[in-house]
């Protein structure tokens, strides 16, 4: 009904068709679904896809792209333009998340939805002097700001790659409460399309870039003298790293680490006071955590399983780089609760 209310102003048919359904929203009215409601429901759906709802795209009009993502479902967007005092719908779309995207942290999934929506609407949006991007995830306002949050300060490699792919578009990001974000929210919760081959390719590109960043970070700990040449090389053939393999093996045997990965994959749906201590200690940074190939990432740093921390500290010290350089490298590449306090005492 939230979706219907946003589109009712475009068509008298929608406004008339939804009338029998409105009393069902009242808590004072017993919820009783009848044949009349069936007819009204079908009439509303028919009116929503009728021509009066849509408007042709006009380069001269104010443009707004509204995007939303649902971790367990999919992504949705609507493209609108202002005709005098009325925002009219130009385009809308939705798709299911890929298996990989369903494991993204929400702070990664939302920008992935934005990138997908702009890619789908590129024929409308490329070349516009500016347009509005409307999201219901407040952190995106800062992350997608080209002037306050430049690429060099983005630590999460997936976010960095997604933000880079948005660089051809000129837009300003606006936050809106979820209850006022009805159409993209409805589309993301009930998507109708499967991911296309282009979506899979774009997703693989983001994943490969993130893995390259992680491997370079690990290689820096091991004092690798030769860096992998990226041009013309199959990245996936070079993703095996002995230290990462060791960390994955330890992670699989660490029950707290396994619970943390499970919590990330479900979006930390369990209330904080009901989660295990091994998960609860990451609660304040939960929106910045993601899982990649069996390891948990915090930004671009790897969260080290408890049983591997002592050995990692030994390797950091064994590099003999000096105190300041060792601390800087450690802060850039690894993380666990209390790691910063430990480094400050070294």
């Amino acid at each position: 009904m939230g979706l219907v209310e946003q589109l009712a102003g475009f068509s008298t048919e929608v406004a008339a068709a939804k009338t029998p359904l409105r009393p069902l929203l009242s808590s004072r009215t017993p919820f009783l679904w009848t044949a009349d409601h069936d007819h009204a429901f079908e009439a509303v759906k028919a009116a929503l896809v009728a021509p009066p709802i849509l408007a042709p795209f006009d380069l001269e009009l104010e443009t707004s792209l509204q995007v939303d993502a649902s971790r367990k479902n999919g992504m949705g967007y609507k493209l609108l333009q202002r005709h005098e005092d009325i925002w009219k719908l130009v385009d809308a779309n939705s798709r299911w998340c890929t298996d990989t995207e369903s494991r993204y942290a929400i702070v990664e999934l939302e920008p992935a939805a934005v990138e997908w929506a702009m890619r789908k609407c590129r024929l409308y949006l490329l070349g516009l002097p500016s347009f509005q991007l409307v999201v219901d995830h407040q952190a995106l306002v800062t992350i997608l700001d080209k002037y306050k949050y430049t690429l060099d300060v983005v630590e999460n490699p997936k976010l960095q790659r997604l933000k880079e792919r948005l660089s051809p578009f000129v837009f300003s990001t606006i936050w809106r409460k979820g209850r006022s974000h009805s159409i993209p929210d409805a589309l993301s919760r009930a998507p109708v399309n499967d991911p296309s081959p282009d979506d899979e390719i774009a997703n693989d590109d983001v994943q490969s870039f993130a893995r390259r960043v992680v491997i370079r970070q690990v290689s820096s700990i091991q004092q690798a003298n030769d860096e992998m040449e990226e041009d013309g090389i199959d990245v996936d053939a070079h993703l095996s790293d002995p230290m990462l393999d060791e960390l994955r093996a330890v992670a699989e045997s660490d029950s707290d680490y396994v619970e943390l990965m499970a919590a990330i994959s479900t979006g930390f749906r369990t209330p904080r006071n009901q989660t295990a201590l091994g998960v609860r200690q990451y609660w304040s940074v939960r929106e910045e955590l993601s899982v990649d190939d069996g390891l948990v990432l915090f930004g671009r740093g790897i969260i080290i399983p408890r049983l591997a921390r002592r050995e990692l500290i030994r390797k950091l010290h064994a590099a003999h780089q000096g105190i300041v350089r060792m601390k800087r490298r450690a802060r850039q590449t690894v993380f666990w609760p209390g790691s910063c306090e430990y480094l400050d005492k070294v």
Side-chain angles (χ1 to χ4, degrees), residues 221 243 246-247 250-251 254 256-257 260 277-279 281-282 296 302-317 330 334-340 342-343:
I221 298 178
M243 189 171 182
E246 291 177 12
L247 288 176
V250 176
D254 188 325
D256 288 343
Y257 207 86
L260 178 61
L277 179 60
V279 175
Q281 58 188 340
Y282 294 96
V296 178
I302 302 172
I303 293 185
I304 305 301
R306 181 173 51 83
L307 298 178
R309 293 170 190 171
R310 185 180 296 276
E311 176 64 15
L312 182 72
I313 291 171
R314 186 192 66 78
K315 290 182 178 180
L316 286 168
H317 283 288
V334 299
F335 175 81
W336 63 83
S339 58
C340 295
Y342 168 81
L343 292 170

Side-chain angles (χ1 to χ4, degrees), residues 22-317:
R22 175 169 290 280
L24 296 177
L25 299 179
S26 173
S27 59
R28 300 177 182 178
T29 304
F31 189 90
L32 181 60
W33 190 270
T34 67
D36 290 339
H37 296 126
D38 276 325
H39 294 314
F41 183 65
E42 294 300 327
V44 168
K45 289 199 297 181
L48 286 177
V49 297
I53 294 295
L54 298 177
F57 187 79
D58 188 334
L59 287 170
E60 303 300 324
L61 298 179
E62 185 179 354
T63 304
S64 175
L65 178 66
Q66 301 184 11
V67 185
D68 192 33
S70 174
R71 179 192 295 274
K72 289 300 180 181
N73 294 294
M75 307 171 177
Y77 72 81
K78 67 172 180 177
L79 181 66
L80 303 141
Q81 286 197 303
R82 185 194 291 272
H83 292 253
E84 297 181 353
D85 294 331
I86 300 175
W87 284 97
K88 291 192 175 183
L89 185 66
V90 174
D91 187 23
N93 202 348
S94 66
R95 74 164 173 86
W96 295 93
C97 288
T98 65
D99 182 61
T100 302
E101 288 168 343
S102 67
R103 295 191 295 272
Y104 278 8
I106 193 64
V107 76
E108 297 169 341
L109 185 60
E110 293 278 0
V114 169
E115 188 275 335
W116 168 74
M118 289 192 185
R119 182 157 38 87
K120 288 294 183 183
C121 296
R122 63 188 180 279
L123 294 179
Y124 298 120
L125 303 178
L126 277 176
L128 286 182
S130 182
F131 63 91
Q132 290 181 355
L133 171 66
V134 183
V135 296
D136 64 353
H137 190 69
Q138 201 160 18
L140 290 190
V141 177
T142 302
I143 292 172
L144 298 180
D145 191 302
K146 292 185 178 181
Y147 304 102
K148 295 181 181 178
Y149 208 69
T150 53
L151 276 174
D152 59 307
V153 299
V154 179
E155 293 189 349
N156 186 311
K158 293 191 186 76
L159 286 181
Q160 191 178 64
R161 188 59 162 178
L162 290 167
K163 185 176 172 69
E164 179 187 356
R165 295 175 71 118
L166 299 179
S167 58
F169 302 94
V170 181
F171 60 92
S172 58
T173 308
I174 298 173
W175 173 76
R176 177 177 292 171
K177 291 183 179 180
R179 63 188 178 190
S180 303
H181 206 53
S182 302
I183 295 179
D185 181 75
L187 293 173
S188 68
R189 292 173 186 270
V192 296
N193 298 314
D194 291 325
S196 69
D198 288 344
D199 298 329
E200 297 285 0
I201 291 172
N203 188 60
D204 290 343
D205 173 70
V206 172
Q207 287 293 109
S208 296
F209 178 81
R211 290 181 182 179
R212 287 200 299 270
V213 171
V214 171
I215 286 177
R216 284 199 294 268
Q217 294 293 88
V218 173
S219 297
S220 69
I221 298 178
Q222 298 175 309
Q223 290 290 286
N225 295 322
D226 52 341
E227 295 183 356
M228 183 173 62
E229 295 293 333
E230 297 179 9
D231 295 336
I233 296 179
D234 182 6
V235 175
D236 291 335
H238 294 265
L239 291 181
S240 178
D241 184 282
M243 189 171 182
L244 287 177
D245 292 339
E246 291 177 12
L247 288 176
R248 290 191 193 98
V250 176
E252 290 176 359
S253 62
D254 188 325
S255 59
D256 288 343
Y257 207 86
V258 171
E259 287 183 350
L260 178 61
M261 286 193 289
I264 295 171
S265 66
T266 58
F268 287 84
R269 292 186 177 181
T270 304
R272 184 174 186 271
N273 59 354
Q274 298 179 19
T275 58
L277 179 60
V279 175
R280 198 182 312 156
Q281 58 188 340
Y282 294 96
W283 196 264
S284 61
V285 295
R286 64 189 183 281
E287 291 191 346
E288 300 177 59
L289 301 180
S290 60
V291 177
D292 189 281
D293 201 15
L295 293 172
V296 178
L297 302 183
F298 172 56
R300 66 171 60 183
I302 302 172
I303 293 185
I304 305 301
R306 181 173 51 83
L307 298 178
R309 293 170 190 171
R310 185 180 296 276
E311 176 64 15
L312 182 72
I313 291 171
R314 186 192 66 78
K315 290 182 178 180
L316 286 168
H317 283 288

